[in-house]
Amino acid sequence: MDVDDARGYRRLSLWWDALPGDLRARPPLDRHLDVDVAVVGAGFTGLWTAHSLAVADPGLRVAVVEAEVAGFGASGRNGGWCSALFCASDARIARAHGPDGARRMRRAMQASVDEVGRAAAAEGIDCHFAKGGTVVAARTPAQVARAHHEVAEARRFGETEADLRWLDGDEARSHLGADGVLGATYTPHCAALQPALLARGLAEAVERRGVDVFEHSPVTAVEPGRPGRRPTVRTAQGAVRADVVVGALEGWTPTLPGQRRTLAPVYSLMIATEPLPAGFWATAGLAQRQTFSDHRHLIIYGQRTADGRLAFGGRGAPYHFGSAIRRRYDRAPRVHEALHRTLLELFPALGDATVTHRWGGPLGVARDWFSSVGLDRGTGLAWAGGYVGDGVSTTNLAGRTLADLITGTSSDLVELPWVGHRWPRWEPEPLRWLGVNAGLWAMQLADRSEARRGRPSWVAARMGRLVGG
Ligand SMILES: Cc1cc2nc3c(=O)[nH]c(=O)nc-3n(C[C@H](O)[C@H](O)[C@H](O)COP(=O)(O)OP(=O)(O)OC[C@H]3O[C@@H](n4cnc5c(N)ncnc54)[C@H](O)[C@@H]3O)c2cc1C
């Protein structure tokens, strides 16, 4: 462990382990401050918000307050899929906001993929951004049926062959040389990136633009504003009073007083192999660093890293009673072993290639599985989150949208369907624990039953969605 890494940040993920330089934390908040905007949490949400505000109005005084260091949370640990995925389907958005709402949301997400690449390049951040798209394999007849259904749904909402298409066996295998690939869906709207490089680079970029970033400063309370009193962020050694306070804690949201039932932290876990030889990649493909998955119910996701490893993750870790978050939950041997087995099933040629890294982290899930961004002018409190594992690009959209809301700029962004969406609260325990874990269990059951019988297991999958898996 290096001297500047007493808290073991390099063990957070492959991405953290690969960061150049030392990991010395920025100074903590140790006084009372008055600013225009205070941001709580230095993940992608907080940093993109600070960035967009600093770009929109360089005169704004913005302070970011972070419990650990920038990129400590999901932003420095994720699968690096910078995708156009939004956690709610087009059909669901259309039911509440009409087909045009669904289309506008989709287009905003697609544009966000490019915006992340553009903004990172403009700030001189080399985060290994490669826009190779996503290939999602269909490896059982049930998965083939689901893939065709997904393409048909996309057409219904105006997506063309250029946005999402079905690939027959040979073409699918030329993208992804995994075992048992019968076909695949392919979308160009995704880039693979190294998330910790992006998060750390963004923190430096916002500082260069005049934003104050305080680290090792856990926020103990956020007090809403009321007439004659501005909202306030409190830490053990200081406080920040601001016109607007942005809550950007995602999975950690329930750790703040009064927020226990706002978002549930659900863990996603990952593994990474050692760098793999050219012979392996000659068959495995992913030559454009396409991100990859398959059409099973329980989410899996992978990328070919810039240095030729497979980084691969999935859900399946249990939700912890009381929305608890602990460093020890980042490693769950049973789930990490299951991920390794799944990776070997996909790529038997991996043989005894070494798994060098195992890690994980919490992401935020709203009771209604719908991401949201908004500003309550009455209290001066703004929020963004509930990305359910699709936050790498959505956080960028959130940051730009929050900047428009805070500066009072009318734009297409502030008219998007997710703006101002209010989450229903999660059930109290033990119902929350039972519901989330039953959902995860139902999805695993659906996949096992499909693999055994070769037929879609709609009942189990629907049950999984109903109870929040
Ligand atoms: C293993 C894993 C894989 C994933 N893969 C993908 C993927 O491939 N693609 C994708 O789009 N999404 C993925 N996600 C989700 C994505 O990473 C998140 O949606 C996104 O990073 C959320 O960013 P954020 O800034 O909102 O939250 P975070 O990055 O979690 O940031 C929250 C910050 O708040 C800080 N904090 C906590 N408590 C306090 C406090 N009291 N005071 C001050 N600060 C505090 C934390 O230290 C943290 O830095 C994945 C998530 C995980 C865990």
Side-chain angles (χ1 to χ4, degrees), residues 40 73 159 237 278 403 423:
V40 182
E159 285 196 58
Q237 298 177 64
W423 294 311

Side-chain angles (χ1 to χ4, degrees), residues 135-301:
V135 57
V136 183
R139 300 171 62 241
T140 64
Q143 291 187 14
V144 171
R146 220 157 25 243
H148 282 298
H149 176 73
E150 188 184 315
V151 174
E153 274 294 284
R155 294 289 172 277
R156 212 157 68 78
F157 289 96
E159 285 196 58
T160 66
E161 284 270 298
D163 297 310
L164 182 74
R165 66 192 174 99
W166 166 256
L167 309 178
D168 282 326
D170 282 345
E171 200 183 354
R173 286 185 289 272
S174 72
H175 281 267
L176 174 65
D179 199 47
V181 173
L182 304 172
T185 48
Y186 175 77
T187 172
H189 300 297
C190 187
L193 54 74
Q194 208 280 32
L197 281 173
L198 178 59
R200 307 288 295 169
L202 269 178
E204 286 168 17
V206 299
E207 272 186 318
R208 281 196 302 271
R209 289 178 176 277
V211 171
D212 287 321
V213 181
F214 300 99
E215 297 185 325
H216 286 182
S217 304
V219 169
T220 51
V222 174
E223 295 166 6
R226 51 176 197 268
R229 204 188 149 97
R230 300 156 80 211
T232 304
V233 169
R234 300 217 176 267
T235 69
Q237 298 177 64
V240 190
R241 215 180 284 278
D243 292 337
V244 174
V245 173
V246 179
L249 296 183
E250 246 284 277
W252 276 267
T253 303
T255 63
L256 278 192
Q259 301 293 328
R260 185 154 289 279
R261 290 164 58 191
T262 307
L263 293 175
V266 169
Y267 275 75
S268 201
L269 301 190
M270 293 197 68
I271 58 175
T273 66
E274 63 188 325
L276 299 164
F280 172 82
W281 289 115
T283 324
L286 305 175
Q288 278 74 48
R289 295 190 51 220
Q290 300 93 315
T291 53
F292 68 92
S293 179
D294 71 15
H295 280 277
R296 74 185 65 200
H297 294 290
L298 194 75
I299 287 165
I300 56 165
Y301 49 90

Side-chain angles (χ1 to χ4, degrees), residues 15 39-48 65-85 109 190-191 195 199 214 217-221 233-235 247-253 255-257 266-270 291 301-303 313-315 325 359-364 384-395:
W15 320 115
V39 177
V40 182
F44 288 148
T45 299
L47 294 169
W48 281 123
V65 188
E66 161 61 45
E68 295 280 350
V69 284
F72 171 85
S75 300
R77 314 186 197 182
N78 58 66
W81 282 41
C82 180
S83 76
L85 293 169
M109 287 302 306
C190 187
F214 300 99
S217 304
V219 169
T220 51
V233 169
R234 300 217 176 267
T235 69
L249 296 183
E250 246 284 277
W252 276 267
T253 303
T255 63
L256 278 192
V266 169
Y267 275 75
S268 201
L269 301 190
M270 293 197 68
T291 53
Y301 49 90
Q303 73 149 288
R315 304 273 169 78
I325 298 177
W359 73 97
L363 46 91
Y387 311 112
V388 197
D390 293 326
V392 173
S393 52
T394 322
T395 47

